[in-house]
Amino acid sequence: MASGHRLKQHRLFALMGPAFIAAIAYVDPGNVAANITAGARYGYLLVWVLVLSNIAAMLVQYLSAKLGIVTGQSLPALLGSRLRPRNRILFWLQAELVAAATDLAEVIGGAIALNLLFGIPLLWSGVIIGAASIVILLFQGRRQNIFEAVIIGMLVVITAGFLAGLFFAPPQWSEVASGLIPRFKGSDSILVAASMLGATVMPHAIYLHSSLVNDHHTDPEVEHPHKRALLRATRHDILWALSIAGIVNIGLLLLAASALSGVEGTDTIEGAYHAIAHALGPTVSTIFALGLLASGLASTSVGAYAGSEIMNGLLHVNVPLLARRLVTIIPALIILGMGAEPTWALVLSQVALSFGIPFAIVPLMRLTRSKEVMGEYANKPLTITVASVIAAAIILLNILLAYLTITGQG
C-alpha cells in the first residue's frame, strides 16, 4: 500500500512543472517595483490586495491549463482556428505587442540588476541579458524537462534573493494581520492597489500556460494518465507554483514596509536597491540584486517562449525561438541605448499590458465554459460566476491604471 502511494506521488510530481514556468510572470521586475512601492508608501495596508490577486491568478491559470489539457490545443491555436483571417492577424498583432512589451520590461529589469551589481552600462547589460536568455532557451523544445528545471532553479534564486531581507528586518506580524482587512488610505493608495492587481495576471502567461501543459505531457517518458488525473496534478502544480510566487510578492511588500517605510525614492528598482543597502547593509542589497537578475533572466526567456507560441498558434508560422529572441531584444536595447529612464520604460510596458488583458482573459472564459469545446469539463455555474467577477475586476482595474497613467494622474 505504501509503495503504491509512493508511486502515485512519483507520477504526480512527474506531471508537475508547467505552472512553475508560468509563475515567473508573477515575480518579474515590474512586480518587484510595484510591491516595493506599496510597502514603502503604505506599510502593511495593501497586503490584502496581493492575497486576493494571487487567489484570482490561481483560477485564471488553472482555466488556461485546463483548456490545453482537455482540447490538446493552446489558447492561441483555438482562437486561430475560429477567427477570420483578417481578425486573426489583428488579434496576433495586439498579442505580439503585449509579448514585446513584456519582453521590454524583463530585459530592462535584468539590465538594471547587472548595472547595480557590477556597474556595467545599461546597454551592455541588456546585451548580456539577451545572450544569457538565448542560452537558457537552448534547453527548450526537445529538452523541455531541462528547460523547466533551469527556470525552477531560477525561481528558487528569486525567492531567496527577495526574501532574505526579511531575516534582517522581520515584519510586525500584528500589522501584517491588520493588512489582511480590505481598505484604502486616500486615492493614491487605490492607484497603487490597481497597479498591483492589474499587473498580476499577465496576458502572455495566460496564452502560454495552455501550451505548456501539452509540451510537458507529450514527453515520451511521462505516462499519459486520464484527463481527470492530469487536471488534479495541474491543480497541485498551480497551487505550489503560485503560492511560492505569492509569498515572494508579499515578502517584497513586507520587506519594504519593515525597512523602507517612508523612505523617498523607492518607487524605482534602483531606489529600492540603494534604500535596502542603506537600511540593511550591502550583503542584503546584493542578494536582492541577484534575485532581480534571476527574475529578469527567467522572465525574458519565458516571454520569448510565449511570443513564439502565440505566433505559431495564431498564424501557424513556426519561427525558431533563437531567431525570435534576437528580434524581440532589439526594442529594449534601443531604449537602453537612448538613455531613457528605465522606470519610464517599465511604466509604458505595463500600460501596454493592460490593454492586452481583455483580449486574453475574455476568450479564455468563453472557451472554458463552452460545452462544445470542453464537453463534460466545461466550467460549472459557480466557476463561471467567480471567473467572470475576477475577469471584470482585472479588466476594470487595468483600464483605470492605463487611464490614470496616460492622463498623468498616476
Side-chain angles (χ1 to χ4, degrees):
M1 184 68 128
S3 61
H5 179 67
R6 283 195 296 270
L7 178 62
K8 185 176 180 181
Q9 282 188 324
H10 174 74
R11 289 176 176 173
L12 176 64
F13 284 124
L15 296 172
M16 294 172 66
F20 285 86
I21 297 179
I24 292 297
Y26 296 86
V27 288
D28 70 356
N31 290 90
V32 175
N35 296 325
I36 287 287
T37 298
R41 288 187 185 178
Y42 303 107
Y44 305 97
L45 180 73
L46 299 177
V47 172
W48 65 274
V49 176
L50 289 178
V51 173
L52 292 181
S53 297
N54 214 58
I55 294 172
M58 287 181 178
L59 177 59
V60 172
Q61 294 302 143
Y62 174 69
L63 293 181
S64 176
K66 184 171 81 165
L67 180 68
I69 290 170
V70 173
T71 65
Q73 299 182 70
S74 67
L75 175 57
L78 286 167
L79 292 173
S81 65
R82 284 165 168 73
L83 295 173
R84 295 178 179 178
R86 182 181 174 214
N87 292 339
R88 183 156 46 91
I89 292 173
L90 290 174
F91 193 96
W92 167 74
L93 284 173
Q94 67 79 28
E96 283 295 331
L97 288 173
V98 165
T102 302
D103 210 36
L104 178 71
E106 322 306 19
V107 172
I108 290 176
I112 291 173
L114 280 179
N115 176 259
L116 293 173
L117 285 168
F118 306 109
I120 302 172
L122 285 173
L123 175 59
W124 288 110
S125 294
V127 172
I128 293 171
I129 292 297
S133 68
I134 289 175
V135 174
I136 296 171
L137 287 170
L138 289 174
F139 295 109
Q140 197 276 329
R142 294 181 181 178
R143 290 162 285 186
Q144 183 71 14
N145 288 341
I146 299 178
F147 177 74
E148 290 178 2
V150 170
I151 296 299
I152 291 172
M154 287 192 172
L155 184 59
V156 172
V157 175
I158 293 166
T159 303
F162 291 157
L163 298 184
L166 290 176
F167 290 99
F168 297 90
Q172 300 177 27
W173 293 109
S174 60
E175 294 293 324
V176 175
S178 68
L180 295 174
I181 302 172
R183 64 194 192 283
F184 296 103
K185 186 178 180 181
S187 59
D188 287 344
S189 67
I190 298 176
L191 175 62
V192 173
S195 67
M196 293 163 67
L197 176 59
T200 294
V201 181
M202 297 289 188
H204 73 289
I206 299 174
Y207 295 125
L208 182 60
H209 206 156
S210 58
S211 178
L212 285 170
V213 288
N214 288 315
D215 287 346
H216 182 86
H217 300 314
T218 53
D219 190 316
E221 296 182 0
V222 177
E223 181 181 348
H224 295 273
H226 190 273
K227 284 181 180 177
R228 292 197 182 278
L230 267 179
L231 292 173
R232 183 167 61 251
T234 297
R235 286 193 289 271
H236 284 277
D237 194 23
I238 290 171
L239 178 63
W240 280 101
L242 292 192
S243 291
I244 292 172
I247 290 170
V248 170
N249 284 316
I250 293 172
L252 283 167
L253 187 150
L254 299 184
L255 174 63
S258 61
L260 308 179
S261 185
V263 177
E264 293 294 330
T266 54
D267 53 350
T268 67
I269 293 176
E270 303 98 311
Y273 168 83
H274 292 300
I276 290 172
H278 178 76
L280 303 178
T283 300
V284 177
S285 63
T286 299
I287 296 173
F288 172 82
L290 288 172
L292 178 63
L293 177 60
S295 170
L297 279 173
S299 298
T300 191
S301 301
V302 172
Y305 186 3
S308 178
E309 292 298 317
I310 289 169
M311 178 177 284
N312 188 24
L314 288 168
L315 299 186
H316 310 297
V317 176
N318 191 10
V319 177
L321 267 173
L322 300 185
R324 181 182 177 82
R325 167 76 284 178
L326 292 172
V327 171
T328 55
I329 197 176
I330 292 174
L333 295 181
I334 290 175
I335 289 177
L336 290 173
M338 291 171 57
E341 216 296 304
T343 301
W344 170 81
L346 287 171
V347 168
L348 288 184
S349 70
Q350 292 301 310
V351 174
L353 286 173
S354 71
F355 285 114
I357 281 283
F359 294 99
I361 203 168
V362 171
L364 175 67
M365 300 305 174
R366 293 185 64 179
L367 288 170
T368 52
R369 74 182 184 187
S370 169
K371 291 187 180 295
E372 179 185 350
V373 176
M374 304 292 288
E376 62 178 304
Y377 299 99
N379 293 342
K380 300 296 187 290
L382 178 59
T383 303
I384 293 173
T385 300
V386 175
S388 298
V389 171
I390 290 172
I394 292 172
I395 291 169
L396 288 174
L397 284 170
N398 273 281
I399 291 173
L400 173 64
L401 178 61
Y403 171 77
L404 292 175
T405 302
I406 292 172
T407 57
Q409 299 177 48

